[in-house]
């Protein structure tokens, strides 16, 4: 019973945080970072980067000379009357998601690359297959941020499985990792594939590996255990530390050990895994299941 109480409380807190902006604590300005300020924005770097930040109209522009997936920038932006969802303005005006947490009057953004940011009003989604699902709130959160899309305009595909390429894209986009084109995998065309940069980003951080040294298998499906392993590695990559653990309740995890066991315990402790009789680690993960795991992981890492 002792292992279940913290989880129930945590899930309740998560549900509240998804319904209202996180304002449980005041943002504390880092004191050991170099930084640059504009009227409504402050950009911090713990790595001594030379920063160039500016505001032009409703665009917040950030550039730095040391920016990669191991050396993120932290950006504080006061809304000052602006509303909507913060996104990156990519090439040709395409809007891409960016990792940030909302503190009501401001947002705290984590960047792994130079970016132009803008508050936009997201298009509502009308997924008919999520209305009565336990994953509905998580899917809506990710869709609003632009991290996930439906299979069609009104169908999310909640019970569909995820491929290794799709998983890589969702995870890298959610954490705003800088894309890195992989060169070692012969089954990824760096010029033609839509997912190569996402795979390269995760591979450079040690989050995802190939099926062999030369083959990635982009169309292979992701199991629940593989998803847990890669989400746990992502938390390691962003320096998340889980201080408290709960005993796993699952009957089918007796043979888990090492890295896999540690990441399963972490994800269970933060509320990313449901309290069930079995974990079913070898089952293919569904889009709905992963939506919940991703939202909780982003929240634990301070990026949602």
């Amino acid at each position: 019973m002792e292992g279940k109480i913290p989880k129930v409380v945590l899930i309740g807190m998560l549900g509240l945080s998804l319904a209202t902006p996180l304002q449980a604590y005041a943002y504390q300005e880092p004191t050991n970072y170099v930084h640059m300020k504009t009227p409504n924005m402050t950009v911090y770097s713990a790595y001594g980067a030379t920063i160039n930040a500016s505001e032009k109209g409703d665009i917040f522009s950030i550039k730095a000379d040391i920016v990669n997936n191991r050396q993120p920038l932290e950006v504080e932006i006061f809304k000052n009357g602006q509303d909507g969802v913060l996104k990156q303005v990519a090439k040709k005006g395409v809007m891409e998601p960016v990792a940030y947490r909302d503190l009501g009057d401001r947002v705290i953004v984590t960047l792994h690359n130079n970016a132009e940011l803008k508050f936009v009003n997201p298009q509502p989604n009308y997924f008919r297959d999520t209305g009565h699902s336990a994953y509905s709130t998580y899917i809506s959160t990710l869709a609003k941020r632009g991290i996930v899309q439906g299979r069609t305009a009104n169908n999310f595909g909640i019970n569909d499985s995820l491929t290794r390429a799709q998983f890589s894209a969702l995870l890298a986009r959610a954490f705003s990792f800088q894309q890195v084109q992989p060169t070692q995998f012969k089954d990824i065309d760096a010029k033609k594939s839509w997912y190569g940069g996402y795979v390269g980003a995760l591979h450079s951080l040690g989050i995802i590996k190939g099926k062999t040294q030369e083959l990635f298998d982009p169309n292979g499906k992701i199991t629940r255990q593989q998803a847990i392993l890669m989400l746990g590695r992502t938390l390691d990559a962003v320096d998340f530390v889980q201080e408290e653990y709960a005993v796993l309740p699952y009957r089918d995890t007796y043979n888990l050990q090492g890295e896999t066991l540690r990441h399963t315990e972490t994800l269970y402790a933060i509320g990313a895994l449901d309290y069930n009789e079995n974990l079913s680690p070898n089952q293919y993960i569904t889009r709905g299941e992963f939506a919940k795991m991703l939202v909780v992981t982003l929240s634990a890492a301070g990026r949602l």
Side-chain angles (χ1 to χ4, degrees):
M1 177 63 72
E2 292 181 356
K4 295 166 62 176
I5 294 175
K7 182 173 177 60
V8 172
V9 174
L10 181 59
I11 293 174
M13 292 174 63
L14 175 63
L16 180 61
S17 70
L18 293 176
T20 58
L22 282 173
Q23 300 186 52
Y25 60 91
Y27 175 66
Q28 299 296 317
E29 179 177 299
T31 58
N32 59 336
Y33 289 11
V34 297
H35 62 268
M36 178 177 181
K37 291 189 176 183
T38 66
N40 296 295
M41 173 175 62
T42 305
V43 184
Y44 301 95
S45 169
Y47 304 93
T50 300
I51 301 168
N52 185 358
S54 63
E55 298 180 43
K56 186 176 181 181
D58 56 358
I59 299 291
F60 299 89
S61 179
I62 303 102
K63 295 182 180 180
D65 64 339
I66 303 177
V67 183
N68 58 50
N69 289 321
R70 289 290 184 187
Q71 299 178 339
L73 299 177
E74 187 171 89
V75 184
E76 178 187 21
I77 300 177
F78 282 87
K79 294 181 180 179
N80 195 22
Q82 299 196 65
D83 197 10
V85 174
L86 191 69
K87 290 192 176 184
Q88 299 185 64
V89 183
K91 294 180 180 179
K92 298 181 180 179
V94 176
M95 306 303 292
E96 294 287 346
V98 62
Y100 71 94
R101 67 182 184 271
D102 194 325
L103 300 183
D105 65 334
R106 75 197 79 178
V107 296
I108 308 300
V109 187
T110 303
L111 288 177
H112 296 269
N113 58 314
N114 298 328
E116 291 188 339
L117 306 175
K118 180 181 180 180
F119 288 98
V120 299
N121 293 314
Q123 294 293 324
N125 64 74
Y126 302 99
F127 300 138
R128 295 177 181 175
D129 59 339
T130 65
H132 300 289
S133 169
Y135 305 118
S136 176
T137 301
Y138 304 103
I139 293 168
S140 295
T141 298
L142 295 177
K144 182 179 179 181
R145 290 285 182 99
I147 296 170
V148 300
Q149 298 176 347
R151 292 293 197 185
T152 65
N154 52 21
N155 181 68
F156 180 72
I158 193 169
N159 294 316
D160 293 349
S161 57
L162 283 169
T163 67
R164 287 165 57 82
Q166 293 167 346
F167 182 95
S168 299
L170 290 177
L171 188 54
R173 282 162 57 86
F175 277 83
S176 301
F177 289 137
Q178 184 178 8
Q179 293 192 44
V180 179
Q181 287 300 333
T183 58
Q184 63 273 51
F185 299 128
K186 294 181 178 179
D187 55 351
I188 296 180
D189 189 324
K191 294 182 179 180
K192 296 182 179 179
S193 72
W194 58 269
Y195 53 81
Y198 302 123
V199 173
L202 299 187
H203 188 267
S204 70
L205 290 167
I207 293 170
I208 198 168
K209 301 177 181 178
K211 285 299 183 77
T212 69
Q213 289 187 345
E214 297 182 342
L215 297 176
F216 179 72
D217 187 23
N219 296 318
K221 294 181 180 179
I222 293 286
T223 66
R224 288 171 53 81
Q225 183 170 299
Q226 290 168 340
I228 291 169
L229 187 61
M230 285 182 276
L231 284 171
R233 288 173 178 168
T234 301
L235 288 175
D236 282 349
V238 299
D239 298 324
F240 172 81
V241 177
Q242 176 61 30
E243 297 181 352
E244 297 182 4
Y245 288 87
V247 177
L248 295 177
Y250 310 116
R251 294 183 177 182
D252 55 355
T253 57
Y254 58 89
N255 61 342
L256 296 185
Q257 55 185 327
E259 183 188 22
T260 303
L261 175 60
R262 178 171 66 87
H263 291 320
T264 303
E265 291 174 338
T266 295
L267 264 65
Y268 179 73
I270 66 175
L273 303 177
D274 293 330
Y275 179 83
N276 289 323
E277 187 174 281
N278 292 306
L279 179 65
S280 303
N282 296 320
Q283 286 186 3
Y284 292 131
I285 194 166
T286 67
R287 284 162 58 83
E289 290 170 340
F290 184 61
K292 174 183 177 178
M293 292 171 65
L294 183 56
V295 166
V296 178
T297 302
L298 282 167
S299 180
R303 304 194 182 199
L304 187 64

